[in-house]
């Protein structure tokens, strides 16, 4: 075997070691199954959406638990499932006793191998849900921030202190909370959840079923709140806030500068909803309002006199701004920025404090038998007035509050 082929084998072997097909089938993500229609159906109706991330059912109405500990025992009106009977239930919609399942339960054209993978995953799920939890300890992963060791250290210490202050000690339900380092590139963590990741690094973890809390940066707004919860408004909230304020500000053409096409389309959509009559300018010079997102080049004539709408990041990155324009700045984390300015500390310190508070409350609410799914579910009912987070109103991020201030 050539050196190159050997290397390829190694890479493939490494990939196979980390891929969890059962998990991917259960969550309907990046699955490649033999039947195309089943693949589409899994993507649209993943098992966890109805049966829960922990497969304990009851997400809505009468959805039964399908954790293998339940399926492998006889239950109300049906005998125990075998892998074969499970295959029949998933593909033909008949339960272990032959009863036809309601149409609320989709039928999936999966192969025997594929349903066996699913059954295997459902058998491991009880332990997977409790990763990082032992009788005397609960481990929470904290990734190293991409801003250098000093800040990472301060982030971790601040987080630990905020947790302790909120819990009145470093224990919850008799377990010591152990903050353990996590390599953001690795995507593996023997912990209940992971904190301190950038938004870009989060998917590697959530795609493997590891919950991510309060990633740093703005979420898109499309993320799944059963595996991820933020503490800062999403891009979607930013778009809506910008669109609403621009709709109020004038009637002329609007130019949208975004480095990402999808984001420009999303902004155009938000604007067409908030200000249906306003045309989109193809050249910035013709616009009355220009939205210039970070990383774009704001190129207008020196005597242009409209309004420019930018975000806090662009101010921090010193985006050059036209001399005669009015400048409006969207601050996506107003509470964090305000508190940081008042306390004269780095905004990430305030971020760490808020994450500590959020995690403390989630751990308390999740109860003694904490699992990954319960930690996330507990947040669904969490309202934290003191730090401006209300997950009952905004399930994914707890807040959609964007401050828009006039810079000049
Ligand atoms: C759209 C919601 C929904 C999705 C998605 C869904 N199910 Fe179901 N499932 C149900 C409901 C509702 C029932 C109960 C039906 C009944 O009892 O008539 C059920 C029943 C079952 C049962 C029978 C349980 C028992 O105790 O007999 C199994 C097994 C099952 N589902 C497995 C799966 C698997 C595996 C997936 C993903 C491939 C999945 N379900 C996706 C809603 C769903």
């Amino acid at each position: 075997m050539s050196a190159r082929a050997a290397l390829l084998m190694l890479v493939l072997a490494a990939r196979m070691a980390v891929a969890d097909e059962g998990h991917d089938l259960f969550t309907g993500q990046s699955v490649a199954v033999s039947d195309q229609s089943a693949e589409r159906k899994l993507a649209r109706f993943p098992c966890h959406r109805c049966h829960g991330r922990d497969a304990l059912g009851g997400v809505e109405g009468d959805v039964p638990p399908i954790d293998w500990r339940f399926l492998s025992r006889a239950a109300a009106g049906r005998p125990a499932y075998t892998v074969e009977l499970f295959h029949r239930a998933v593909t033909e919609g008949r339960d272990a006793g032959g009863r036809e399942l309601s149409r609320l339960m989709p039928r999936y054209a999966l192969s025997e191998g594929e349903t066996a993978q699913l059954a295997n995953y459902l058998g491991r799920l009880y332990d997977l849900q409790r990763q990082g939890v032992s009788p005397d300890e609960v481990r929470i992963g904290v990734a190293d921030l991409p801003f250098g060791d000093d800040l990472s250290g301060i982030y971790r210490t601040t987080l630990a202190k905020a947790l302790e202050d909120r819990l009145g000690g470093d224990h919850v339900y008799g377990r010591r909370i152990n903050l353990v380092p996590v390599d953001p590139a690795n995507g593996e963590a023997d912990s209940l959840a992971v904190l301190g990741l950038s938004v870009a690094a989060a998917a590697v973890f959530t795609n493997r079923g590891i919950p991510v809390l309060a990633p740093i940066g703005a979420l898109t707004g499309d993320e799944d709140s059963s595996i991820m919860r933020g503490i800062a408004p999403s891009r979607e909230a930013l778009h809506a806030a910008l669109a609403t304020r621009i709709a109020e500000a004038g009637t002329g053409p609007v130019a949208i500068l975004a480095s990402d096409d999808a984001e420009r389309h999303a902004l155009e959509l938000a604007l067409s909803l908030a200000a249906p009559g306003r045309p989109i300018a193809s050249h910035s010079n013709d616009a009355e309002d220009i939205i210039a997102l970070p990383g774009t080049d704001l190129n207008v004539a020196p005597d242009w006199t409209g309004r420019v709408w930018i975000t806090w990041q662009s101010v921090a990155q010193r985006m050059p701004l036209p001399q005669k324009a009015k400048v409006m700045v969207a601050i996506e984390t107003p509470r964090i920025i305000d508190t940081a300015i008042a306390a004269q500390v780095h905004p990430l310190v305030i971020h760490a404090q808020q994450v500590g508070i959020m995690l403390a409350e989630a751990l308390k609410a999740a109860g003694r038998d904490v699992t990954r799914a319960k930690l996330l579910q507990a947040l669904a009912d969490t309202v934290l007035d003191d730090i401006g987070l209300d997950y009952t109103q905004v399930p994914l991020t707890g807040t959609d509050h964007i401050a828009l201030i006039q810079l000049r």
Side-chain angles (χ1 to χ4, degrees), residues 71 73-82 84-86 88-89 92-101:
L71 293 183
R73 284 182 211 140
R78 61 148 178 84
Y81 275 90
T82 60
E84 291 73 30
L85 290 171
F86 175 75
R88 188 178 70 174
E92 294 172 29
R94 272 185 298 137
D95 83 358
R99 175 180 70 89
E100 168 133 23
L101 295 168

Side-chain angles (χ1 to χ4, degrees), residues 284-290 300-308 322 324-325:
S284 299
N285 275 330
D286 305 332
E288 181 183 339
D289 289 283
I290 302 175
V300 285
D303 59 348
W304 183 81
T305 57
R307 284 171 298 259
V308 182
K324 297 188 174 168

Side-chain angles (χ1 to χ4, degrees), residues 25-26 41-42 44-51 60-66 68 70-71 75-76 78-79 81 85-86 89-90 93-97 99-108 110 115 118-119 122:
L25 286 163
F26 186 72
K41 199 174 246 184
L42 273 177
R44 283 190 60 198
F45 305 107
C47 320
H48 82 80
R49 193 76 53 78
C50 298
H51 291 281
E60 248 168 50
D62 270 344
V63 187
I66 57 166
W68 199 257
F70 288 91
L71 293 183
R78 61 148 178 84
Y81 275 90
L85 290 171
F86 175 75
V90 176
R94 272 185 298 137
D95 83 358
R99 175 180 70 89
E100 168 133 23
L101 295 168
S102 96
R103 281 281 145 192
L104 293 175
M105 163 66 196
R107 277 64 166 155
Y108 305 83
L110 295 173
T115 51
L118 262 174
L122 293 172

